[in-house]
C-alpha cells in the first residue's frame, strides 16, 4: 500500500480523518490537519499560502467552479472571454479530482489504530 507523507512533518498520514490536501498553484500536497494549521499560521501573510482542497469548503467551491466552467464553456456567455474563464474555473475542479483519486482514496476513512 502506498504511504501518504505529510508535506510539513514528513510523517505518514494514516487516515482521511486527519488529512488535508492543499493546493499551491500547480502543486497538490497532503498535510495532517494540525500541520496544515501550523503551516497556515506561518504563511498567512504570504501570497504563497496553501488552500485546502478537500473537506466541505473544498467540495462546495469545486462544485461552484464546475458549474461556472460548464456555463462558460457550453454557452456563448461573454464569448472568448467566457471560454477562458471556463478553462480557469475547471482547474480547481481538476485539482479536487486529483486529490480524491491519488490521495484521499488511498487512505482508509478512519485508521484501524484508532478503533482499537
Ligand atoms: Zn504532519
Amino acid at each position: 500500500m502506498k504511504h501518504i507523507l505529510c508535506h510539513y512533518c514528513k510523517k505518514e498520514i494514516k487516515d482521511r480523518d486527519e488529512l488535508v490536501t492543499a493546493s499551491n498553484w500547480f502543486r497538490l500536497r497532503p498535510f495532517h490537519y494540525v500541520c496544515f494549521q501550523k503551516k497556515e499560521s506561518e504563511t498567512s501573510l504570504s501570497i504563497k499560502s496553501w488552500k485546502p482542497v478537500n473537506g466541505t469548503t473544498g467540495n462546495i467551491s469545486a462544485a461552484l467552479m464546475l458549474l461556472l466552467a460548464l456555463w462558460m464553456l457550453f454557452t456563448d456567455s461573454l464569448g472568448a472571454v467566457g471560454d477562458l474563464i471556463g478553462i480557469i474555473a475547471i482547474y480547481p475542479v481538476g485539482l479536487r479530482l486529483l486529490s480524491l483519486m491519488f490521495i484521499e482514496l488511498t487512505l482508509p476513512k478512519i485508521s484501524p489504530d484508532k478503533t482499537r
Side-chain angles (χ1 to χ4, degrees), residues 27-97:
R27 289 172 298 171
L28 187 66
R29 294 281 184 273
F31 292 92
H32 289 109
Y33 183 71
V34 267
C35 294
F36 184 74
Q37 285 179 328
K38 282 184 216 156
K39 181 94 186 163
E40 213 175 24
S41 59
E42 282 171 14
T43 54
S44 58
L45 293 176
S46 156
I47 51 153
K48 294 174 87 182
S49 69
W50 292 79
K51 291 182 186 59
V53 172
N54 68 343
T56 317
T57 329
N59 287 340
I60 292 169
S61 57
L64 290 176
M65 284 299 173
L66 181 63
L67 285 177
L68 178 67
L70 292 176
W71 178 34
M72 288 298 165
L73 291 172
F74 293 103
T75 65
D76 282 333
S77 311
L78 308 176
V81 179
D83 288 348
L84 189 67
I85 294 172
I87 290 164
I88 295 168
I90 209 89
Y91 164 69
V93 182
L95 272 184
R96 184 72 196 89
L97 288 177

Side-chain angles (χ1 to χ4, degrees), residues 5-13 18 30-36 38:
L5 297 181
C6 173
H7 189 59
Y8 185 83
C9 68
K10 313 291 178 202
K11 287 183 195 130
E12 191 188 346
I13 298 170
E18 58 189 27
F31 292 92
H32 289 109
Y33 183 71
V34 267
C35 294
F36 184 74
K38 282 184 216 156

